[in-house]
Amino acid sequence: MNKNRDFYGECRNALEQAFETEGATLVDALPALGKSMKTIEIIAERGDKAVIFTARHDLYDQLEDECKKNGITGYILPSFHRDCPTGGKEETRKYGEEWAQRFSSK
C-alpha cells in the first residue's frame, strides 16, 4: 500500500474528468477531500456555470464563501427547512409548531 498517495490530487483529477464528461457523473470520494471546494476552483478556472446541491446547510455557506474567494457569483436558493417561515427551523418559524408538524408530515 502506498502511504504517500495524493488523495486530494486524485479527487481533483476525478472532478476535472467529470467536467469533461457529458451527462451526470458521480465522484465517489471520502469526506473532507475537497470535492466541494475543488469544484468551485474548477468552475472558476473554466468559466463554467454549475448548480450544486448539498444536504448540509453549513456547506452552502462554505460554498458561498469559496465562490466569493474565486470571483464567482453564487446564489443560494431558499430551503424549506432553513428559510420557510411556516415549517422551517425554529428560529425562522412564525406560525407555530402545529404548522411545522403539518408541513413536515406530508
Side-chain angles (χ1 to χ4, degrees), residues 22-35:
E22 281 191 40
T25 303
L26 174 65
V27 176
D28 186 17
L30 294 170
L33 283 181
K35 295 179 296 293

Side-chain angles (χ1 to χ4, degrees), residues 75-86:
Y75 303 97
I76 298 177
L77 298 176
S79 159
F80 173 77
H81 294 287
R82 180 178 178 167
D83 304 306
C84 178
T86 302

Side-chain angles (χ1 to χ4, degrees), residues 5-59:
R5 284 183 65 176
D6 179 14
F7 291 110
Y8 294 99
E10 289 180 29
C11 184
R12 166 125 187 161
N13 290 339
L15 290 166
E16 287 173 339
Q17 286 178 349
F19 273 90
E20 296 296 329
T21 304
E22 281 191 40
T25 303
L26 174 65
V27 176
D28 186 17
L30 294 170
L33 283 181
K35 295 179 296 293
S36 300
M37 302 310 129
K38 297 274 186 243
T39 297
I40 299 298
E41 288 176 15
I42 293 168
I43 292 168
E45 290 168 9
R46 294 172 51 98
D48 287 344
K49 294 181 181 181
V51 177
I52 301 172
F53 295 99
T54 182
R56 292 182 28 216
H57 291 129
D58 63 313
L59 191 52

